[in-house]
Amino acid sequence: MAANKTTTMVISLGSSRRRKRGEMLFRFESFCQPGYPAPLAGGGAFRDNVRALLGLAHLEAGGAHGETKCWSFQLELHRHPPTVVRLFVVEEVVDASPQRQCHLCRHVGWGRHLICSKRFHFVLPKRELSVEADGLHYGINHGPEKPSKGTATSRGHLLHGVVHLNGFGHLVALHGFEGGSEFVAGHQIMDLWDRICSSLNVRKVSLVDTARKGHMELRLLHGVAYGDTWFGRWGYRFGRPSYGVALPSYQQSLHALQSVPLCLLVPHLSCFSQDLPVVVTKYQAISGHKLLNLGDLLRFMLELRTRLPATSVTAMDYRGIMSEASCRWSAKRVDMAARAVVDALRLTEPPARWVTRQEVRDAARAYIGDTGLLDFVLKSLGNHIVGNYVVRRAMNPVTKVLEYCLEDVSSVLPAVGGVPSNGGGGKMRVRFQLTRAQLMRDLTHLYHHVLKEPSQALTTGAFGAIPVAARMVLDTKHFVKDYHEGFAPINSVGVGHVHMNLCCTLLVRNGSPELVAPYETVTLPAHATVGELKWEVQRLFREMYLGLRTFTAESVAGIGASQDACPVLGLIDVGSAVVIEGTVVEQHQQQLADEGVQPGNEAAAVVSEGDGDSERVVDCACGADDDDGERMACCDICEAWQHTRCAGIKDTDDAPHVFVCNRCDNDVLSFLPLSC
């Protein structure tokens, strides 16, 4: 059975008082936008850009040669009240790491990538005080992980991303409010991560999507509603098959689920349930337009959810505050002040966020000069309807500051055109037809009884494809974003340039097939010679990859060995790839000696992320022929690996100590009995 283990890696940090002295403060919403906090080379490599960014960070720990280093950035979420979160960046020295190979690379299909000398962890912890007390944990779970309520795999941090020195990375953890965040939503954290990757010129980022919305898997719910994963908003696309589900099957499954016609589904549901047809009919009436299929229904419900009141089911007409004894202003002036407050809340970014009383007051002062009137309206407004909005007021439990929020309820008011006037002072309470909590209950009910666990009536006939398609969508978890998509590597060489950028790779003549490195951008002076190019490429690749520490550059493909003193400019065609040929020490003798590997144990020296998997044969009934990160068991007879689920072992059950696959089991049963 594939082992499930976690390598514990912790770095101790100092106290906040010592760390905050003289630190810079950066804006959360604009951190790593172009030019902020520092201009980074757009075509520069990740290894260079991350160094430039860390030059602005506060050094938390490390510093000596070979030690694990940690930096941090203070990111300001709100100015009033001051709300600051801290982003940590850990430089992991792979040579000294307890886990050299990256199982995430292997599971997403990057097993042939060479092991880089360093990894950079970007961590946004849930609570900074716990980090100061217990240290910063940045270990990665090695093995299949049970789904969490966050937005990606792993637990313990709001954000945990890791990027290898060559620019390939993984989003390990992302948790918004449902995952324990107190200040920042999941989409804001995802925006931050995407800006970091874009500004640092990361190549590709993978993730395992186990995101949940309550008790619903978001990849199925969002997939049926929008035809894509939630992470598709940031450009993440199908990465690799899981359980043998390839891209065409995944796309066909989504299309089949989206296209289920409601005109056929509702009569079918009414035969065995009274609740589900009522749910569908209710949202058909609220939408105001025809919802044709299941995709339309789920998409409308998800979009409606953001405009509904969260918990309270009633609200007061704001005109009732005019009858209070403390009101000494005319109805017209109170109305102007109330609408100025609403306009100030409407203009907040992002929309529908909570804003402090001081911020609202300052914004409304631009239109209302009477501060006494403003203070009266702000004191009186709270759970009141103004136009098509409800003004919410609450005390922030963390900062103890009064905050306001605006909710658009135009689609759920009981009367068309807003709140009806009662002519009696406006103290009438208005009851909404729907709240966010009610919608989530309806959505969960619909999800479980139609998609996740359909009844027997939905598993036969015309609807028999629903459980099969839903299973295929749920089995698809690996998604990848290519930040270089559409951008081919181009050499920047020209007369008058101070520097030139060359896209270079290696051809190791005496190396194993695993010694294949991706293209790297090498920057040289415009007057550099061929010999200087070879030396720079040799230095760069030696520093980047553990398996190339003994690489010696000997020649440039297409250029004679006698031309080392000739300038590169003129010999290299613009747009062509530069291939440097060379050798490594035979059988990696130097590497084995450096690593302390004894003769006869050469297999212990791995050079690629997937080393050791070549002897592991995956032959599963679902069609999988490679490790996709799901739990597997090894047959004790043929030694082939297959998914435990495909072998009939439930995910909640332990894998047996002795396991025989169905093929070998049938072969054993087919043996003729021995006669004495």
PDB file of all heavy atoms in Angstrom, residues 102-114 168-170 204 206-208 239-242 478-480 608-610 613 625-629:
ATOM      1  N   CYS A 102       9.877  15.418  -4.600  1.00  0.00           N
ATOM      2  CA  CYS A 102       8.584  16.080  -4.435  1.00  0.00           C
ATOM      3  C   CYS A 102       7.497  15.151  -4.979  1.00  0.00           C
ATOM      4  O   CYS A 102       7.410  14.924  -6.187  1.00  0.00           O
ATOM      5  CB  CYS A 102       8.571  17.418  -5.174  1.00  0.00           C
ATOM      6  SG  CYS A 102       6.966  18.251  -5.169  1.00  0.00           S
ATOM      7  N   HIS A 103       6.673  14.603  -4.076  1.00  0.00           N
ATOM      8  CA  HIS A 103       5.628  13.691  -4.531  1.00  0.00           C
ATOM      9  C   HIS A 103       4.561  14.412  -5.339  1.00  0.00           C
ATOM     10  O   HIS A 103       3.871  13.811  -6.163  1.00  0.00           O
ATOM     11  CB  HIS A 103       4.988  12.992  -3.332  1.00  0.00           C
ATOM     12  CG  HIS A 103       4.055  13.849  -2.551  1.00  0.00           C
ATOM     13  ND1 HIS A 103       4.499  14.850  -1.718  1.00  0.00           N
ATOM     14  CD2 HIS A 103       2.695  13.890  -2.494  1.00  0.00           C
ATOM     15  CE1 HIS A 103       3.462  15.452  -1.175  1.00  0.00           C
ATOM     16  NE2 HIS A 103       2.355  14.891  -1.623  1.00  0.00           N
ATOM     17  N   LEU A 104       4.412  15.732  -5.139  1.00  0.00           N
ATOM     18  CA  LEU A 104       3.431  16.491  -5.914  1.00  0.00           C
ATOM     19  C   LEU A 104       3.823  16.543  -7.384  1.00  0.00           C
ATOM     20  O   LEU A 104       2.963  16.494  -8.266  1.00  0.00           O
ATOM     21  CB  LEU A 104       3.295  17.898  -5.338  1.00  0.00           C
ATOM     22  CG  LEU A 104       2.779  17.978  -3.894  1.00  0.00           C
ATOM     23  CD1 LEU A 104       2.841  19.419  -3.385  1.00  0.00           C
ATOM     24  CD2 LEU A 104       1.361  17.449  -3.809  1.00  0.00           C
ATOM     25  N   CYS A 105       5.122  16.664  -7.652  1.00  0.00           N
ATOM     26  CA  CYS A 105       5.597  16.620  -9.042  1.00  0.00           C
ATOM     27  C   CYS A 105       5.293  15.265  -9.668  1.00  0.00           C
ATOM     28  O   CYS A 105       4.844  15.178 -10.824  1.00  0.00           O
ATOM     29  CB  CYS A 105       7.107  16.886  -9.087  1.00  0.00           C
ATOM     30  SG  CYS A 105       7.580  18.619  -8.927  1.00  0.00           S
ATOM     31  N   ARG A 106       5.514  14.216  -8.912  1.00  0.00           N
ATOM     32  CA  ARG A 106       5.285  12.872  -9.445  1.00  0.00           C
ATOM     33  C   ARG A 106       3.811  12.647  -9.750  1.00  0.00           C
ATOM     34  O   ARG A 106       3.454  12.095 -10.790  1.00  0.00           O
ATOM     35  CB  ARG A 106       5.792  11.840  -8.434  1.00  0.00           C
ATOM     36  CG  ARG A 106       5.734  10.403  -8.926  1.00  0.00           C
ATOM     37  CD  ARG A 106       6.451   9.457  -7.999  1.00  0.00           C
ATOM     38  NE  ARG A 106       5.783   9.322  -6.711  1.00  0.00           N
ATOM     39  CZ  ARG A 106       6.238   9.830  -5.570  1.00  0.00           C
ATOM     40  NH1 ARG A 106       7.365  10.521  -5.561  1.00  0.00           N
ATOM     41  NH2 ARG A 106       5.588   9.659  -4.428  1.00  0.00           N
ATOM     42  N   HIS A 107       2.926  13.105  -8.857  1.00  0.00           N
ATOM     43  CA  HIS A 107       1.503  12.856  -9.043  1.00  0.00           C
ATOM     44  C   HIS A 107       0.909  13.646 -10.192  1.00  0.00           C
ATOM     45  O   HIS A 107      -0.077  13.208 -10.796  1.00  0.00           O
ATOM     46  CB  HIS A 107       0.751  13.188  -7.751  1.00  0.00           C
ATOM     47  CG  HIS A 107       1.082  12.270  -6.620  1.00  0.00           C
ATOM     48  ND1 HIS A 107       0.759  12.548  -5.305  1.00  0.00           N
ATOM     49  CD2 HIS A 107       1.733  11.074  -6.601  1.00  0.00           C
ATOM     50  CE1 HIS A 107       1.188  11.567  -4.538  1.00  0.00           C
ATOM     51  NE2 HIS A 107       1.780  10.672  -5.288  1.00  0.00           N
ATOM     52  N   VAL A 108       1.472  14.814 -10.503  1.00  0.00           N
ATOM     53  CA  VAL A 108       0.908  15.629 -11.576  1.00  0.00           C
ATOM     54  C   VAL A 108       1.543  15.310 -12.924  1.00  0.00           C
ATOM     55  O   VAL A 108       1.185  15.901 -13.939  1.00  0.00           O
ATOM     56  CB  VAL A 108       1.070  17.129 -11.246  1.00  0.00           C
ATOM     57  CG1 VAL A 108       2.487  17.619 -11.545  1.00  0.00           C
ATOM     58  CG2 VAL A 108       0.022  17.974 -11.964  1.00  0.00           C
ATOM     59  N   GLY A 109       2.513  14.356 -12.945  1.00  0.00           N
ATOM     60  CA  GLY A 109       3.136  13.956 -14.195  1.00  0.00           C
ATOM     61  C   GLY A 109       4.462  14.607 -14.477  1.00  0.00           C
ATOM     62  O   GLY A 109       4.958  14.541 -15.608  1.00  0.00           O
ATOM     63  N   TRP A 110       5.058  15.230 -13.472  1.00  0.00           N
ATOM     64  CA  TRP A 110       6.362  15.867 -13.647  1.00  0.00           C
ATOM     65  C   TRP A 110       7.482  15.029 -13.039  1.00  0.00           C
ATOM     66  O   TRP A 110       8.490  15.550 -12.571  1.00  0.00           O
ATOM     67  CB  TRP A 110       6.362  17.262 -12.994  1.00  0.00           C
ATOM     68  CG  TRP A 110       5.357  18.207 -13.564  1.00  0.00           C
ATOM     69  CD1 TRP A 110       4.686  18.081 -14.750  1.00  0.00           C
ATOM     70  CD2 TRP A 110       4.880  19.430 -12.990  1.00  0.00           C
ATOM     71  NE1 TRP A 110       3.833  19.132 -14.945  1.00  0.00           N
ATOM     72  CE2 TRP A 110       3.931  19.984 -13.878  1.00  0.00           C
ATOM     73  CE3 TRP A 110       5.174  20.116 -11.812  1.00  0.00           C
ATOM     74  CZ2 TRP A 110       3.270  21.183 -13.621  1.00  0.00           C
ATOM     75  CZ3 TRP A 110       4.507  21.307 -11.546  1.00  0.00           C
ATOM     76  CH2 TRP A 110       3.573  21.837 -12.443  1.00  0.00           C
ATOM     77  N   GLY A 111       7.298  13.734 -13.023  1.00  0.00           N
ATOM     78  CA  GLY A 111       8.280  12.855 -12.397  1.00  0.00           C
ATOM     79  C   GLY A 111       9.631  12.865 -13.069  1.00  0.00           C
ATOM     80  O   GLY A 111      10.644  12.514 -12.444  1.00  0.00           O
ATOM     81  N   ARG A 112       9.706  13.251 -14.348  1.00  0.00           N
ATOM     82  CA  ARG A 112      10.997  13.290 -15.061  1.00  0.00           C
ATOM     83  C   ARG A 112      11.757  14.589 -14.818  1.00  0.00           C
ATOM     84  O   ARG A 112      12.886  14.737 -15.292  1.00  0.00           O
ATOM     85  CB  ARG A 112      10.766  13.091 -16.564  1.00  0.00           C
ATOM     86  CG  ARG A 112      10.344  11.672 -16.925  1.00  0.00           C
ATOM     87  CD  ARG A 112      10.094  11.539 -18.413  1.00  0.00           C
ATOM     88  NE  ARG A 112      11.287  11.814 -19.199  1.00  0.00           N
ATOM     89  CZ  ARG A 112      12.230  10.918 -19.496  1.00  0.00           C
ATOM     90  NH1 ARG A 112      12.104   9.678 -19.057  1.00  0.00           N
ATOM     91  NH2 ARG A 112      13.271  11.238 -20.238  1.00  0.00           N
ATOM     92  N   HIS A 113      11.154  15.527 -14.101  1.00  0.00           N
ATOM     93  CA  HIS A 113      11.863  16.770 -13.796  1.00  0.00           C
ATOM     94  C   HIS A 113      13.041  16.489 -12.875  1.00  0.00           C
ATOM     95  O   HIS A 113      12.937  15.702 -11.919  1.00  0.00           O
ATOM     96  CB  HIS A 113      10.932  17.775 -13.115  1.00  0.00           C
ATOM     97  CG  HIS A 113       9.928  18.385 -14.042  1.00  0.00           C
ATOM     98  ND1 HIS A 113       9.238  19.537 -13.743  1.00  0.00           N
ATOM     99  CD2 HIS A 113       9.493  18.011 -15.278  1.00  0.00           C
ATOM    100  CE1 HIS A 113       8.427  19.844 -14.740  1.00  0.00           C
ATOM    101  NE2 HIS A 113       8.565  18.918 -15.675  1.00  0.00           N
ATOM    102  N   LEU A 114      14.150  17.139 -13.143  1.00  0.00           N
ATOM    103  CA  LEU A 114      15.315  17.004 -12.273  1.00  0.00           C
ATOM    104  C   LEU A 114      15.037  17.657 -10.919  1.00  0.00           C
ATOM    105  O   LEU A 114      14.306  18.645 -10.824  1.00  0.00           O
ATOM    106  CB  LEU A 114      16.534  17.663 -12.918  1.00  0.00           C
ATOM    107  CG  LEU A 114      17.055  17.031 -14.218  1.00  0.00           C
ATOM    108  CD1 LEU A 114      18.257  17.808 -14.725  1.00  0.00           C
ATOM    109  CD2 LEU A 114      17.410  15.578 -14.026  1.00  0.00           C
ATOM    110  N   PHE A 168       8.704  25.661 -11.488  1.00  0.00           N
ATOM    111  CA  PHE A 168       7.536  24.787 -11.422  1.00  0.00           C
ATOM    112  C   PHE A 168       7.086  24.705  -9.967  1.00  0.00           C
ATOM    113  O   PHE A 168       7.916  24.491  -9.070  1.00  0.00           O
ATOM    114  CB  PHE A 168       7.857  23.394 -11.960  1.00  0.00           C
ATOM    115  CG  PHE A 168       8.056  23.346 -13.450  1.00  0.00           C
ATOM    116  CD1 PHE A 168       9.302  23.602 -14.011  1.00  0.00           C
ATOM    117  CD2 PHE A 168       6.997  23.061 -14.299  1.00  0.00           C
ATOM    118  CE1 PHE A 168       9.490  23.564 -15.385  1.00  0.00           C
ATOM    119  CE2 PHE A 168       7.181  23.020 -15.673  1.00  0.00           C
ATOM    120  CZ  PHE A 168       8.430  23.279 -16.221  1.00  0.00           C
ATOM    121  N   GLY A 169       5.781  24.862  -9.733  1.00  0.00           N
ATOM    122  CA  GLY A 169       5.322  24.926  -8.350  1.00  0.00           C
ATOM    123  C   GLY A 169       3.996  24.233  -8.126  1.00  0.00           C
ATOM    124  O   GLY A 169       3.377  23.666  -9.044  1.00  0.00           O
ATOM    125  N   HIS A 170       3.552  24.287  -6.870  1.00  0.00           N
ATOM    126  CA  HIS A 170       2.317  23.626  -6.454  1.00  0.00           C
ATOM    127  C   HIS A 170       1.600  24.501  -5.432  1.00  0.00           C
ATOM    128  O   HIS A 170       2.235  25.057  -4.529  1.00  0.00           O
ATOM    129  CB  HIS A 170       2.609  22.261  -5.826  1.00  0.00           C
ATOM    130  CG  HIS A 170       3.613  21.446  -6.577  1.00  0.00           C
ATOM    131  ND1 HIS A 170       3.275  20.699  -7.679  1.00  0.00           N
ATOM    132  CD2 HIS A 170       4.956  21.286  -6.403  1.00  0.00           C
ATOM    133  CE1 HIS A 170       4.363  20.095  -8.140  1.00  0.00           C
ATOM    134  NE2 HIS A 170       5.392  20.441  -7.380  1.00  0.00           N
ATOM    135  N   LYS A 204       4.807  26.894 -14.265  1.00  0.00           N
ATOM    136  CA  LYS A 204       3.549  26.168 -14.124  1.00  0.00           C
ATOM    137  C   LYS A 204       3.280  25.924 -12.648  1.00  0.00           C
ATOM    138  O   LYS A 204       4.202  25.753 -11.859  1.00  0.00           O
ATOM    139  CB  LYS A 204       3.588  24.820 -14.858  1.00  0.00           C
ATOM    140  CG  LYS A 204       3.587  24.924 -16.373  1.00  0.00           C
ATOM    141  CD  LYS A 204       3.521  23.531 -17.009  1.00  0.00           C
ATOM    142  CE  LYS A 204       3.505  23.617 -18.535  1.00  0.00           C
ATOM    143  NZ  LYS A 204       3.420  22.268 -19.156  1.00  0.00           N
ATOM    144  N   SER A 206       0.607  23.517 -10.148  1.00  0.00           N
ATOM    145  CA  SER A 206      -0.412  22.473 -10.070  1.00  0.00           C
ATOM    146  C   SER A 206      -1.134  22.559  -8.738  1.00  0.00           C
ATOM    147  O   SER A 206      -0.634  23.158  -7.773  1.00  0.00           O
ATOM    148  CB  SER A 206       0.228  21.089 -10.224  1.00  0.00           C
ATOM    149  OG  SER A 206       0.891  20.710  -9.023  1.00  0.00           O
ATOM    150  N   LEU A 207      -2.301  21.953  -8.674  1.00  0.00           N
ATOM    151  CA  LEU A 207      -3.030  21.841  -7.412  1.00  0.00           C
ATOM    152  C   LEU A 207      -3.904  20.597  -7.458  1.00  0.00           C
ATOM    153  O   LEU A 207      -4.223  20.068  -8.527  1.00  0.00           O
ATOM    154  CB  LEU A 207      -3.880  23.087  -7.132  1.00  0.00           C
ATOM    155  CG  LEU A 207      -4.985  23.472  -8.110  1.00  0.00           C
ATOM    156  CD1 LEU A 207      -6.299  22.736  -7.810  1.00  0.00           C
ATOM    157  CD2 LEU A 207      -5.238  24.974  -8.076  1.00  0.00           C
ATOM    158  N   VAL A 208      -4.258  20.119  -6.270  1.00  0.00           N
ATOM    159  CA  VAL A 208      -5.211  19.019  -6.125  1.00  0.00           C
ATOM    160  C   VAL A 208      -6.474  19.623  -5.535  1.00  0.00           C
ATOM    161  O   VAL A 208      -6.473  20.093  -4.397  1.00  0.00           O
ATOM    162  CB  VAL A 208      -4.651  17.907  -5.218  1.00  0.00           C
ATOM    163  CG1 VAL A 208      -5.675  16.785  -5.077  1.00  0.00           C
ATOM    164  CG2 VAL A 208      -3.345  17.366  -5.778  1.00  0.00           C
ATOM    165  N   GLY A 239      -5.295  18.941 -15.540  1.00  0.00           N
ATOM    166  CA  GLY A 239      -3.865  18.668 -15.464  1.00  0.00           C
ATOM    167  C   GLY A 239      -3.475  17.284 -15.925  1.00  0.00           C
ATOM    168  O   GLY A 239      -2.675  17.117 -16.841  1.00  0.00           O
ATOM    169  N   ARG A 240      -4.055  16.275 -15.304  1.00  0.00           N
ATOM    170  CA  ARG A 240      -3.735  14.902 -15.676  1.00  0.00           C
ATOM    171  C   ARG A 240      -4.871  13.995 -15.213  1.00  0.00           C
ATOM    172  O   ARG A 240      -5.644  14.348 -14.318  1.00  0.00           O
ATOM    173  CB  ARG A 240      -2.416  14.455 -15.063  1.00  0.00           C
ATOM    174  CG  ARG A 240      -2.442  14.285 -13.560  1.00  0.00           C
ATOM    175  CD  ARG A 240      -1.328  13.381 -13.093  1.00  0.00           C
ATOM    176  NE  ARG A 240      -1.387  12.079 -13.747  1.00  0.00           N
ATOM    177  CZ  ARG A 240      -0.402  11.197 -13.689  1.00  0.00           C
ATOM    178  NH1 ARG A 240       0.709  11.475 -13.032  1.00  0.00           N
ATOM    179  NH2 ARG A 240      -0.504  10.027 -14.289  1.00  0.00           N
ATOM    180  N   PRO A 241      -4.988  12.788 -15.805  1.00  0.00           N
ATOM    181  CA  PRO A 241      -6.085  11.890 -15.417  1.00  0.00           C
ATOM    182  C   PRO A 241      -5.901  11.331 -14.011  1.00  0.00           C
ATOM    183  O   PRO A 241      -4.788  11.121 -13.542  1.00  0.00           O
ATOM    184  CB  PRO A 241      -6.010  10.766 -16.466  1.00  0.00           C
ATOM    185  CG  PRO A 241      -5.197  11.323 -17.587  1.00  0.00           C
ATOM    186  CD  PRO A 241      -4.234  12.284 -16.963  1.00  0.00           C
ATOM    187  N   SER A 242      -7.020  11.128 -13.339  1.00  0.00           N
ATOM    188  CA  SER A 242      -7.080  10.356 -12.106  1.00  0.00           C
ATOM    189  C   SER A 242      -8.110   9.260 -12.307  1.00  0.00           C
ATOM    190  O   SER A 242      -9.161   9.501 -12.923  1.00  0.00           O
ATOM    191  CB  SER A 242      -7.487  11.238 -10.925  1.00  0.00           C
ATOM    192  OG  SER A 242      -6.501  12.207 -10.645  1.00  0.00           O
ATOM    193  N   HIS A 478      -6.644  16.949 -10.428  1.00  0.00           N
ATOM    194  CA  HIS A 478      -5.383  17.608 -10.764  1.00  0.00           C
ATOM    195  C   HIS A 478      -5.617  18.705 -11.810  1.00  0.00           C
ATOM    196  O   HIS A 478      -6.100  18.427 -12.912  1.00  0.00           O
ATOM    197  CB  HIS A 478      -4.369  16.599 -11.312  1.00  0.00           C
ATOM    198  CG  HIS A 478      -3.922  15.591 -10.294  1.00  0.00           C
ATOM    199  ND1 HIS A 478      -2.977  15.872  -9.331  1.00  0.00           N
ATOM    200  CD2 HIS A 478      -4.298  14.306 -10.081  1.00  0.00           C
ATOM    201  CE1 HIS A 478      -2.791  14.807  -8.577  1.00  0.00           C
ATOM    202  NE2 HIS A 478      -3.576  13.850  -9.004  1.00  0.00           N
ATOM    203  N   PHE A 479      -5.273  19.933 -11.434  1.00  0.00           N
ATOM    204  CA  PHE A 479      -5.404  21.073 -12.349  1.00  0.00           C
ATOM    205  C   PHE A 479      -4.086  21.841 -12.373  1.00  0.00           C
ATOM    206  O   PHE A 479      -3.363  21.902 -11.368  1.00  0.00           O
ATOM    207  CB  PHE A 479      -6.550  21.981 -11.915  1.00  0.00           C
ATOM    208  CG  PHE A 479      -7.899  21.312 -11.994  1.00  0.00           C
ATOM    209  CD1 PHE A 479      -8.420  20.629 -10.911  1.00  0.00           C
ATOM    210  CD2 PHE A 479      -8.633  21.361 -13.165  1.00  0.00           C
ATOM    211  CE1 PHE A 479      -9.652  20.008 -10.982  1.00  0.00           C
ATOM    212  CE2 PHE A 479      -9.874  20.738 -13.249  1.00  0.00           C
ATOM    213  CZ  PHE A 479     -10.385  20.058 -12.154  1.00  0.00           C
ATOM    214  N   VAL A 480      -3.781  22.423 -13.524  1.00  0.00           N
ATOM    215  CA  VAL A 480      -2.492  23.086 -13.736  1.00  0.00           C
ATOM    216  C   VAL A 480      -2.728  24.410 -14.448  1.00  0.00           C
ATOM    217  O   VAL A 480      -3.576  24.500 -15.352  1.00  0.00           O
ATOM    218  CB  VAL A 480      -1.533  22.204 -14.573  1.00  0.00           C
ATOM    219  CG1 VAL A 480      -0.247  22.958 -14.897  1.00  0.00           C
ATOM    220  CG2 VAL A 480      -1.219  20.904 -13.842  1.00  0.00           C
ATOM    221  N   SER A 608      16.000  12.654 -10.317  1.00  0.00           N
ATOM    222  CA  SER A 608      14.736  13.208 -10.786  1.00  0.00           C
ATOM    223  C   SER A 608      13.652  12.974  -9.740  1.00  0.00           C
ATOM    224  O   SER A 608      13.784  12.129  -8.850  1.00  0.00           O
ATOM    225  CB  SER A 608      14.318  12.589 -12.123  1.00  0.00           C
ATOM    226  OG  SER A 608      13.987  11.224 -11.963  1.00  0.00           O
ATOM    227  N   GLU A 609      12.558  13.754  -9.860  1.00  0.00           N
ATOM    228  CA  GLU A 609      11.486  13.670  -8.879  1.00  0.00           C
ATOM    229  C   GLU A 609      10.809  12.303  -8.888  1.00  0.00           C
ATOM    230  O   GLU A 609      10.245  11.882  -7.877  1.00  0.00           O
ATOM    231  CB  GLU A 609      10.435  14.751  -9.153  1.00  0.00           C
ATOM    232  CG  GLU A 609      10.966  16.175  -9.185  1.00  0.00           C
ATOM    233  CD  GLU A 609      11.376  16.686  -7.808  1.00  0.00           C
ATOM    234  OE1 GLU A 609      11.328  15.911  -6.840  1.00  0.00           O
ATOM    235  OE2 GLU A 609      11.746  17.872  -7.712  1.00  0.00           O
ATOM    236  N   GLY A 610      10.869  11.601 -10.009  1.00  0.00           N
ATOM    237  CA  GLY A 610      10.212  10.300 -10.106  1.00  0.00           C
ATOM    238  C   GLY A 610      11.145   9.128 -10.026  1.00  0.00           C
ATOM    239  O   GLY A 610      10.728   7.995 -10.309  1.00  0.00           O
ATOM    240  N   ASP A 613      10.455   5.113  -9.404  1.00  0.00           N
ATOM    241  CA  ASP A 613       9.140   4.680  -9.881  1.00  0.00           C
ATOM    242  C   ASP A 613       9.224   3.796 -11.121  1.00  0.00           C
ATOM    243  O   ASP A 613       8.220   3.225 -11.536  1.00  0.00           O
ATOM    244  CB  ASP A 613       8.263   5.896 -10.215  1.00  0.00           C
ATOM    245  CG  ASP A 613       7.719   6.554  -8.951  1.00  0.00           C
ATOM    246  OD1 ASP A 613       7.892   5.949  -7.883  1.00  0.00           O
ATOM    247  OD2 ASP A 613       7.154   7.656  -9.046  1.00  0.00           O
ATOM    248  N   ASP A 625      -2.111   3.871 -15.580  1.00  0.00           N
ATOM    249  CA  ASP A 625      -0.820   3.204 -15.722  1.00  0.00           C
ATOM    250  C   ASP A 625       0.304   3.991 -15.062  1.00  0.00           C
ATOM    251  O   ASP A 625       1.475   3.765 -15.338  1.00  0.00           O
ATOM    252  CB  ASP A 625      -0.492   2.974 -17.203  1.00  0.00           C
ATOM    253  CG  ASP A 625      -0.482   4.267 -18.008  1.00  0.00           C
ATOM    254  OD1 ASP A 625      -0.681   5.341 -17.405  1.00  0.00           O
ATOM    255  OD2 ASP A 625      -0.285   4.207 -19.235  1.00  0.00           O
ATOM    256  N   ASP A 626      -0.066   4.940 -14.194  1.00  0.00           N
ATOM    257  CA  ASP A 626       0.934   5.761 -13.509  1.00  0.00           C
ATOM    258  C   ASP A 626       0.358   6.182 -12.162  1.00  0.00           C
ATOM    259  O   ASP A 626      -0.858   6.153 -11.945  1.00  0.00           O
ATOM    260  CB  ASP A 626       1.274   6.993 -14.355  1.00  0.00           C
ATOM    261  CG  ASP A 626       2.574   7.659 -13.903  1.00  0.00           C
ATOM    262  OD1 ASP A 626       3.237   7.105 -13.002  1.00  0.00           O
ATOM    263  OD2 ASP A 626       2.908   8.727 -14.435  1.00  0.00           O
ATOM    264  N   ASP A 627       1.231   6.600 -11.265  1.00  0.00           N
ATOM    265  CA  ASP A 627       0.812   7.040  -9.938  1.00  0.00           C
ATOM    266  C   ASP A 627       0.109   8.388 -10.058  1.00  0.00           C
ATOM    267  O   ASP A 627       0.716   9.382 -10.456  1.00  0.00           O
ATOM    268  CB  ASP A 627       2.040   7.139  -9.027  1.00  0.00           C
ATOM    269  CG  ASP A 627       1.677   7.492  -7.594  1.00  0.00           C
ATOM    270  OD1 ASP A 627       0.474   7.559  -7.287  1.00  0.00           O
ATOM    271  OD2 ASP A 627       2.603   7.699  -6.782  1.00  0.00           O
ATOM    272  N   ASP A 628      -1.175   8.430  -9.703  1.00  0.00           N
ATOM    273  CA  ASP A 628      -1.933   9.673  -9.788  1.00  0.00           C
ATOM    274  C   ASP A 628      -2.217  10.270  -8.415  1.00  0.00           C
ATOM    275  O   ASP A 628      -3.011  11.204  -8.283  1.00  0.00           O
ATOM    276  CB  ASP A 628      -3.249   9.461 -10.542  1.00  0.00           C
ATOM    277  CG  ASP A 628      -4.103   8.359  -9.921  1.00  0.00           C
ATOM    278  OD1 ASP A 628      -3.778   7.901  -8.807  1.00  0.00           O
ATOM    279  OD2 ASP A 628      -5.111   7.958 -10.545  1.00  0.00           O
ATOM    280  N   GLY A 629      -1.584   9.732  -7.362  1.00  0.00           N
ATOM    281  CA  GLY A 629      -1.746  10.278  -6.025  1.00  0.00           C
ATOM    282  C   GLY A 629      -2.861   9.656  -5.222  1.00  0.00           C
ATOM    283  O   GLY A 629      -2.975   9.929  -4.024  1.00  0.00           O
TER     284      GLY A 629
END
